[in-house]
Amino acid sequence: MPPPRIALFLLTLQKKHLKMKKFAVILSGCGVYDGSEIHEAVMALYAIVKKGAIYDVYAPDIKQVHVIDHSKGQPMDQERNVMVESARIARGKISPLSKLNPADYDAIVLPGGFGAAKNLSTYAFDGAAMHVLPELEQVLRKMHELKRPIGAMCISPVILAKIFGKVEVTIGQDQGTAAHIESWGAKHKKTSHGEVTVDKTNMLVTTPCYMLDASVEDIARGAKAMVKAMLELM
Amino acid sequence: MPPPRIALFLLTLQKKHLKMKKFAVILSGCGVYDGSEIHEAVMALYAIVKKGAIYDVYAPDIKQVHVIDHSKGQPMDQERNVMVESARIARGKISPLSKLNPADYDAIVLPGGFGAAKNLSTYAFDGAAMHVLPELEQVLRKMHELKRPIGAMCISPVILAKIFGKVEVTIGQDQGTAAHIESWGAKHKKTSHGEVTVDKTNMLVTTPCYMLDASVEDIARGAKAMVKAMLELM
């Protein structure tokens, strides 16, 4: 006896869902000066969905280094938590980074913003002597061992260069940051709006976004190109 | 003597800029549960730029009604300012709503999120008995007098229906909200993902966004359709 139509439909849906590529997006707060750059984060989520993939959002359950009044660019006397603020971009659907099992995902994306250089690493304060949040380093090393793609936008590629050393990445055209990247043994490739650098050997895809003087349209193009290149690596 | 090439180029740029349509986007905070819905706000900015227009961002310089921990959906014991938080979405480039002169703009957009129903109006608390923030009502009435388009996403169309009465708007398919809208003498039109309702007489364009169970891709489609319809009204 053939299954009723509705069951067949549900089975098709389930099969389709199982075949969909699954991204983990790691945020670092909510706002360019002390967290994830919002346009980059949203455009990454959009590019993932538009390419027929799905995503889960993670962030470290830690205190933000500080809180910046984005209307003035000045620190505020307030404390905020990175995961709690990141949940604003994720519309509440978020998990602590400590729960991220790389084996469950086809790809990982790191949007940019100062959060990547303040909360996920100490790059904004320590430059070339920076260190990476241990729980993030562990996740990225595991994903790298699994030979699955990692995408990074804006300033986040410094994290990949610091951890993995001999890789190729881009942060656009900033010479100071490029020099730091090369001091770790990595290669920096100059790029412009919407371009990506693909390190096929190391499965890394990077794109400059707001490391250039960009518009939200450039960010959308960069995110789309990054996700496309990541899917091609799978 | 013909002007030097560079002057001609600058003149062309200036002329192009003068011809570009100018949108004012009014935010209500940063995050769906106590401010502007982030995906809607970003997709509105994206749609504006992608259609060759430009934008400025405004928000009222007032205290948020409350702060919601978006990872738990629970209120937090903290105070935040609507304009200061909105500046996160605007990457710092924001002005107080009191400085918005409707005559300077071709169009106004109100993204959604609970901020529209908590900070810009009291809809979340008072339902049909709600009132609208006086400085916002003043701006919207002036824009309406000027016969220039106003776009509203998600729950924000309630603000237009409350102020203008006999107009046609959509908030998607929620019967309770539709009943409130009709109680003010307005007409509610049912819509689905990415659709807009255009009230040509009153120059209002509305789209349901996250008032439906939507994805970020649906939001992008809705924002694009809204901006397109607004430009066609100019």
Side-chain angles (χ1 to χ4, degrees):
Chain A
M1 191 179 80
R5 271 193 200 178
I6 183 73
L8 201 63
F9 174 70
L10 288 174
L11 200 69
T12 315
L13 263 188
Q14 196 184 23
K15 272 191 184 164
K16 195 182 159 197
H17 192 84
L18 286 173
K19 271 196 291 186
M20 284 170 119
K21 297 296 182 187
K22 209 170 163 184
F23 284 66
V25 178
I26 302 175
L27 300 183
S28 61
C30 178
V32 55
Y33 297 126
D34 58 14
S36 282
E37 206 297 310
I38 291 174
H39 302 187
E40 292 172 5
V42 172
M43 288 306 173
L45 302 183
Y46 177 47
I48 291 165
V49 173
K50 204 157 163 65
K51 285 284 180 192
I54 52 178
Y55 65 79
D56 289 325
V57 182
Y58 291 86
D61 185 8
I62 57 172
K63 214 175 79 174
Q64 284 186 196
V65 166
H66 57 192
V67 179
I68 299 288
D69 175 332
H70 280 56
S71 72
K72 295 189 185 122
Q74 298 295 328
M76 289 168 76
D77 184 23
Q78 205 178 63
E79 287 192 1
R80 298 188 187 183
N81 174 289
V82 175
M83 185 181 74
V84 170
E85 297 310 313
S86 299
R88 294 176 174 272
I89 296 173
R91 296 173 45 78
K93 242 191 118 202
I94 198 158
S95 305
L97 182 55
S98 57
K99 302 277 185 203
L100 200 176
N101 179 6
D104 294 341
Y105 291 92
D106 298 296
I108 286 177
V109 167
L110 296 169
F114 273 98
K118 290 177 175 177
N119 301 319
L120 300 185
S121 76
T122 63
Y123 183 68
F125 310 107
D126 301 333
M130 83 170 200
H131 48 90
V132 176
L133 186 73
E135 62 177 327
L136 176 63
E137 179 160 351
Q138 205 177 345
V139 159
L140 296 177
R141 284 199 183 279
K142 180 72 185 166
M143 200 65 173
H144 194 237
E145 275 169 36
L146 291 167
K147 298 192 187 308
R148 296 184 189 172
I150 302 172
M153 311 165 84
C154 182
I155 191 64
S156 292
V158 297
I159 294 173
L160 306 182
K162 183 62 169 68
I163 294 179
F164 299 122
K166 287 185 181 162
V167 295
E168 186 176 49
V169 298
T170 186
I171 50 83
Q173 316 199 359
D174 184 70
Q175 292 187 355
T177 311
H180 289 148
I181 284 170
E182 304 220 320
S183 78
W184 303 321
K187 198 179 156 194
H188 181 263
K189 198 172 165 190
K190 270 195 187 178
T191 50
S192 190
H193 297 296
E195 292 180 353
V196 293
T197 292
V198 181
D199 179 338
K200 281 191 185 177
T201 315
N202 293 291
M203 305 287 268
L204 305 182
V205 180
T206 50
T207 185
C209 294
Y210 280 122
M211 280 297 285
L212 304 170
D213 183 15
S215 78
V216 62
E217 193 183 2
D218 299 319
I219 305 313
R221 281 170 53 219
K224 197 174 157 186
M226 176 186 72
V227 170
K228 182 171 179 279
M230 292 175 78
L231 290 168
E232 285 167 2
L233 287 175
M234 291 176 197
Chain B
M1 192 179 77
R5 271 196 200 176
I6 183 73
L8 201 63
F9 174 70
L10 288 175
L11 201 68
T12 314
L13 263 189
Q14 198 185 19
K15 271 190 186 167
K16 194 182 160 195
H17 192 82
L18 286 175
K19 271 194 293 184
M20 285 171 117
K21 296 297 181 187
K22 210 170 163 186
F23 283 67
V25 178
I26 302 175
L27 299 184
S28 60
C30 177
V32 54
Y33 298 125
D34 57 16
S36 281
E37 205 298 312
I38 292 174
H39 302 189
E40 292 171 6
V42 172
M43 288 306 171
L45 302 182
Y46 177 48
I48 291 166
V49 174
K50 204 158 163 65
K51 285 284 180 192
I54 51 179
Y55 64 79
D56 289 325
V57 181
Y58 292 85
D61 186 7
I62 57 171
K63 214 177 80 175
Q64 284 186 196
V65 166
H66 57 191
V67 180
I68 299 288
D69 174 332
H70 281 55
S71 72
K72 294 189 186 121
Q74 298 294 329
M76 287 168 77
D77 184 22
Q78 206 178 61
E79 287 192 0
R80 298 189 186 183
N81 174 290
V82 174
M83 186 182 74
V84 169
E85 297 310 314
S86 299
R88 295 176 174 272
I89 296 173
R91 295 172 46 79
K93 243 190 117 200
I94 198 158
S95 304
L97 181 56
S98 57
K99 302 277 186 204
L100 200 176
N101 178 6
D104 294 341
Y105 292 92
D106 299 295
I108 287 178
V109 167
L110 296 169
F114 273 98
K118 290 177 175 176
N119 302 318
L120 300 186
S121 76
T122 63
Y123 183 67
F125 310 108
D126 301 333
M130 83 170 202
H131 48 91
V132 175
L133 187 72
E135 62 176 327
L136 176 63
E137 179 159 350
Q138 205 177 345
V139 159
L140 296 177
R141 284 198 183 280
K142 179 75 185 161
M143 199 66 174
H144 194 238
E145 275 170 37
L146 291 167
K147 297 194 188 307
R148 296 185 189 171
I150 303 171
M153 311 164 84
C154 183
I155 191 66
S156 291
V158 295
I159 293 173
L160 306 183
K162 181 63 167 70
I163 294 179
F164 299 121
K166 286 185 181 164
V167 296
E168 186 177 49
V169 298
T170 185
I171 49 84
Q173 316 198 357
D174 184 71
Q175 292 187 355
T177 311
H180 289 148
I181 285 171
E182 306 220 319
S183 78
W184 303 320
K187 197 180 158 194
H188 180 264
K189 197 173 166 189
K190 270 196 187 179
T191 50
S192 190
H193 298 295
E195 293 179 355
V196 293
T197 291
V198 183
D199 178 337
K200 282 191 186 177
T201 315
N202 294 290
M203 304 288 266
L204 305 182
V205 180
T206 49
T207 184
C209 292
Y210 280 123
M211 281 296 285
L212 302 171
D213 183 15
S215 79
V216 62
E217 193 183 2
D218 298 319
I219 306 312
R221 281 168 54 219
K224 197 175 157 186
M226 177 187 70
V227 170
K228 183 171 178 280
M230 291 175 79
L231 290 167
E232 286 167 2
L233 287 175
M234 289 175 196

